[in-house]
Amino acid sequence: MGVPHKHAGTFLAARYLPEQFGAVVYGHHGGLPDTERLAEELTRIRGDGELATMAAEAIGLVEKIIPEIHPDPRPPLPAWLTGLALPEARLGVDLLMRMLFSCVVDADYLDTESHFDAAPVRLRPQADFAALLARYEERRSKFLADRPPSPVDAVRQNVYEQACEAAARPPGMYVLHVPTGGAKTIAAGGFALRHAQANGLGRVVLAVPYISITQQNAAVYRELLEPDAGSGERWAVLEHHSSVDLDQDGGTSALTQAEKAEAAERSRWSRLAAENWDAPFVITTTVQLFESLFSSKPSAMRKLHRLAGSVIVLDEVQALPDRLLRPVLSALRGLVDHFGATVVLVSATQPSFWSLQGFAGVERRSLVRDVAGLFEQLRRVRYEWRVGPDVTLAGMAAEAVEHAQTLTVVNTTKDAATLHRLIEDAAAHDATVIHLSTRMTAGHRREAIDQVRTLLAQGRAVHVVSTQLIEAGVDLDFPRVYRAWAPVESMQQAAGRCNRDGRLSEGVVVVFTAADAGQPKGSAYEAALTATGMYFGPGLADPDDLAALERYYPQRYALQQGTQDSGLGAEIEELRRNLDFPEVATRFQMIEDGLSRPVVVIRREDERDAIEAAVAMLRSPYPRGPEVLRGLQPHIASLPRHEAEAAVKSGLADPVIGDLLLWHGDYDQRRGLDPSTPEDRAGFVV
């Protein structure tokens, strides 16, 4: 047995602090334990066996060198933890232990790295937000000067100025409630940089719900913030999510030796910074952020202490899953109240979180003064409704092709494939019909979106059929949008793709309820649909009616709460109060397990060798880093679990690792994993 340093540290932590804090030291290698496991280990350490003897010897040796391991007086707990038996104080203990654990783990990793490198511990100097802000403003001005003017530019400029003006206020909970097309991304960045500078905060962490938006936003912020190549300045923007290749060295063959060296150094910095978010401007996903926050594993939690004293911007906040709202909001409130963070909730359809238990009473500071007036200024569409038993997908396809440029958004991949075929059959010969869904690989979807942008810019006839993946953050501008009946925030997000730049006197958004259309399953979705039907529709409010939205969200949440203490993740909050870290990590899953499976697809022969080599690496018995899977992300589509299982049984796919499959069947170059003929489809789904 080696020196039981974690047991010695656990003994000391439990001796000079409330006993539960011993878990911070005990778990710094293997993960935070639950209270039962901690109690068992403390009994062993305090006993008279070999472990207790060795731990005591280790303490005796260290105390001769560092007598401070026996603090006198004992370290005081923060005043906000007074009364540890109170429910909210116990949630505070959970969050404090997570942050302390992150500090211990990061220090341990850095010290180990320093030892083996025979070099000082690497610590990045404090970010120079004054310099970053000056660069941001200069490049933003150039960016605006280079783009075609828009009728809504003056409104966007007003939003930006108001957000920047609010940045001088102290840390707290802020809301950026701006209609789609109101330049939220640029305004949020301007606020965050100024706010960090004004309040001495350490970094900006921007989290968004979808990888496609993460990549889009990262490209914007890199353009505005990164130093010029060869300048010798340190990089500012870290993009960290499952699809980013932190080891990317492709495309360097045409570079000079100096440029290659800089690219290699950039890759090394990205890998290291991703481990503990040691960067001024971090762009990640809400999945990465919150699953790390509620994890119990050292590698995931190592970065959490970076959230203290940071500006945390949550974009498209309406996409946070209802079933996890209680723990998410509780943690955000704790970071603001006790760890000096600022949280900015950004959305065109701002949820009424303040109606929920645990968030009521939190001061809500708006970055814009007159939200209702702003929505009126940016009102660019009128809504029409198609309801009744005679409304069908075929009828909506026939209506769509009467117009030159349309976007139709439906709720299921099955409906998207069906409607795409219908519009292909009915469209004029010179019109392009494009499909978008998760049945296409990520790379295929990006190519399709780029094609749509080109066709729209050229004024060509184009009809796009998409699932809701197009609704958040995809910057497209159609004169006419069709949206299948859905929760109201989805209707409003779809409307954000209509007359986005205000170049028409009025765009048209048609909301339809087709008798043969499908709807996703799930209690949260069904509650949202029920609440939507109570306030929106023919004879009721339009989706951008702010007063109706304020009534909608509390009703939606109430439908999911059997009592005040149930629903919306209340069971996870109880596990947090009991300090059951492993079970919290198991229960807290941003993406519901079991609904779909990822599928690697070889679309083109020139990709085959690289994809098959990556798959072979994943299947090998030797451990592989995440970079192999990241490299496959552009080639991954998604299938409903029952279809994936049928495909494996029929030989159309076989397992790679975990849930990941390799596809051997046909891939439709228009619709992805969706056969084009009835004969093919008959053998596709068992």
Side-chain angles (χ1 to χ4, degrees):
M1 178 185 289
V3 177
H5 70 283
K6 76 172 182 180
H7 292 88
T10 301
F11 173 83
L12 290 171
R15 177 177 180 180
Y16 294 110
L17 290 168
E19 192 169 279
Q20 55 263 48
F21 284 87
V24 170
V25 182
Y26 179 78
H28 76 281
H29 286 311
L32 281 168
D34 58 27
T35 53
E36 183 176 345
R37 175 66 183 278
L38 177 63
E40 291 172 356
E41 293 300 320
L42 284 172
T43 299
R44 292 177 62 210
I45 299 168
R46 292 164 175 165
D48 55 6
E50 181 183 9
L51 178 64
T53 301
M54 294 181 69
E57 289 175 354
I59 291 171
L61 291 172
V62 173
E63 67 189 1
K64 295 176 182 178
I65 306 170
I66 312 173
E68 291 83 1
I69 66 172
H70 297 292
D72 185 20
R74 296 185 178 192
L77 287 177
W80 47 271
L81 286 184
T82 301
L84 291 182
L86 298 175
E88 294 313 307
R90 280 155 49 201
L91 290 175
V93 172
D94 169 90
L95 185 57
L96 177 58
M97 288 179 63
R98 292 175 185 278
M99 299 297 274
L100 289 173
F101 183 74
S102 174
C103 293
V104 170
V105 169
D106 192 33
D108 187 50
Y109 272 89
L110 290 173
D111 188 60
T112 302
E113 177 187 293
S114 172
H115 171 76
F116 284 105
D117 290 348
V121 171
R122 61 175 174 89
L123 293 175
R124 185 183 177 112
Q126 182 75 13
D128 185 350
F129 279 106
L132 288 173
L133 182 57
R135 185 183 298 154
Y136 190 86
E137 287 296 342
E138 178 185 352
R139 293 185 181 175
R140 173 180 172 270
S141 297
K142 184 179 185 303
F143 170 76
L144 294 177
D146 291 345
R147 66 179 294 177
S150 163
V152 298
D153 281 347
V155 178
R156 291 169 175 166
Q157 178 64 23
N158 184 36
V159 168
Y160 186 78
E161 290 174 356
Q162 289 191 54
C164 291
E165 180 184 332
R169 300 173 69 184
M173 189 75 66
Y174 288 83
V175 169
L176 180 56
H177 190 181
V178 176
T180 52
K184 298 188 296 296
T185 299
I186 301 294
F191 168 84
L193 292 169
R194 277 181 171 77
H195 188 71
Q197 182 193 16
N199 291 280
L201 303 182
R203 66 191 34 78
V204 175
V205 178
L206 172 71
V208 296
Y210 310 113
I211 286 176
S212 59
I213 314 175
T214 310
Q215 294 167 326
Q216 177 180 286
N217 287 354
V220 171
Y221 287 124
R222 275 196 295 267
E223 183 69 25
L224 293 171
L225 286 171
E226 289 293 38
D228 295 326
S231 68
E233 296 182 53
R234 302 304 297 170
W235 299 284
V237 178
L238 171 68
E239 183 181 358
H240 185 207
H241 53 78
S242 62
S243 287
V244 68
D245 186 357
L246 299 172
D247 298 283
Q248 186 172 9
D249 59 2
T252 63
S253 58
L255 301 180
T256 66
Q257 285 301 117
E259 289 169 334
K260 287 181 180 180
E262 184 170 357
E265 182 61 22
R266 171 67 191 251
S267 290
R268 180 178 183 277
W269 172 79
S270 295
R271 290 196 306 273
L272 294 174
E275 294 173 359
N276 66 351
W277 283 0
D278 190 9
F281 205 104
V282 179
I283 302 173
T284 187
T285 60
T286 50
V287 173
Q288 175 82 236
L289 173 63
F290 289 112
E291 289 195 354
S292 296
L293 186 55
F294 292 104
S295 179
S296 63
K297 299 301 182 184
S299 58
M301 300 178 72
R302 179 182 174 184
K303 54 186 163 297
L304 295 186
H305 67 289
R306 302 293 187 186
L307 298 176
S310 293
V311 185
I312 304 167
V313 180
L314 299 179
D315 199 5
E316 305 294 352
V317 73
Q318 79 285 345
L320 289 172
D322 287 7
R323 59 191 169 78
L324 299 175
L325 280 181
R326 293 276 291 277
V328 164
L329 297 177
S330 169
L332 291 176
R333 181 174 187 173
L335 289 170
V336 170
D337 289 349
H338 308 308
F339 293 95
T342 281
V343 170
V344 187
L345 306 175
V346 182
S347 179
T349 51
Q350 191 68 231
S352 298
F353 294 144
W354 283 259
S355 66
L356 293 174
Q357 180 188 13
F359 219 58
V362 176
E363 182 182 1
R364 173 170 38 176
R365 303 168 180 172
S366 179
L367 298 190
V368 294
R369 288 182 290 274
D370 182 8
V371 175
L374 183 62
F375 269 75
E376 193 58 40
Q377 283 181 287
L378 287 178
R379 189 181 298 276
R380 291 152 293 171
V381 306
R382 81 169 184 274
Y383 290 90
E384 297 180 359
W385 305 88
R386 307 282 189 271
V387 298
D390 297 333
V391 179
T392 63
L393 292 176
M396 298 314 302
E399 179 178 332
V401 299
E402 294 176 359
H403 306 273
Q405 296 180 333
T406 67
L407 166 66
T408 304
V409 184
V410 292
N411 297 312
T412 67
T413 58
K414 178 182 176 182
D415 286 353
T418 299
L419 194 58
H420 183 261
R421 284 189 284 269
L422 290 168
I423 292 181
E424 271 191 325
D425 292 342
H429 71 280
D430 61 340
T432 303
V433 185
I434 294 175
H435 169 276
L436 285 167
S437 83
T438 53
R439 288 176 180 263
M440 301 159 64
T441 66
H444 190 182
R445 295 198 302 269
R446 284 198 296 272
E447 292 169 12
I449 290 172
D450 288 342
Q451 183 185 8
V452 173
R453 288 197 176 102
T454 299
L455 292 169
L456 289 172
Q458 294 173 347
R460 304 268 297 278
V462 57
H463 302 290
V464 178
V465 180
S466 177
T467 57
Q468 52 267 47
L469 67 84
I470 203 171
E471 289 180 339
V474 181
D475 189 2
L476 296 174
D477 190 351
F478 288 84
R480 194 172 185 90
V481 169
Y482 292 85
R483 183 56 171 102
W485 178 259
V488 63
E489 66 274 13
S490 293
M491 297 183 204
Q492 195 185 78
Q493 290 289 340
R497 312 314 121 194
C498 184
N499 195 22
R500 187 178 181 88
D501 288 324
R503 302 187 191 282
L504 304 175
S505 59
E506 188 178 55
V508 177
V509 177
V510 178
V511 180
F512 63 93
T513 55
D516 53 346
Q519 288 284 6
K521 304 297 182 183
S523 58
Y525 192 88
E526 291 165 6
L529 281 181
T530 299
T532 297
M534 296 171 67
Y535 300 108
F536 303 94
L540 300 172
D542 285 342
D544 51 12
D545 186 316
L546 295 184
L549 281 166
E550 279 292 320
R551 295 190 295 272
Y552 156 77
Y553 277 108
Q555 182 64 52
R556 165 176 160 173
Y557 299 148
L559 290 169
Q560 298 175 70
Q561 296 185 107
T563 66
Q564 192 178 39
D565 297 321
S566 69
L568 306 181
E571 74 286 353
I572 295 176
E573 288 292 83
E574 190 58 30
L575 291 169
R576 289 182 61 210
R577 293 186 183 97
N578 294 331
L579 302 182
D580 192 343
F581 298 102
E583 189 62 21
V584 168
T586 299
R587 297 283 193 94
F588 192 97
Q589 300 294 323
M590 292 287 286
I591 300 173
E592 288 189 273
D593 187 34
L595 298 181
S596 63
R597 291 188 68 171
V599 182
V600 177
V601 177
I602 301 172
R603 287 176 57 209
R604 295 189 292 263
E605 279 304 310
D606 61 355
E607 300 171 340
R608 180 174 295 279
D609 289 347
I611 293 174
E612 289 182 343
V615 168
M617 289 182 188
L618 291 174
R619 284 173 168 164
S620 77
Y622 303 105
R624 294 286 172 180
E627 64 277 358
V628 178
L629 188 56
R630 290 193 189 106
L632 285 174
Q633 288 293 334
H635 310 290
I636 291 179
S638 181
L639 274 180
R641 180 165 289 271
H642 71 280
E643 290 190 23
E645 291 170 352
V648 171
K649 289 179 181 178
S650 63
L652 289 175
D654 60 73
V656 177
I657 186 173
D659 265 4
L660 186 65
L661 302 177
L662 176 63
W663 186 251
H664 300 298
D666 291 336
Y667 182 88
D668 189 274
Q669 293 303 322
R670 296 162 297 172
R671 291 182 288 270
L673 297 178
D674 185 76
S676 300
T677 66
E679 292 78 12
D680 289 338
R681 290 197 300 277
F684 185 74
V685 180
V686 178

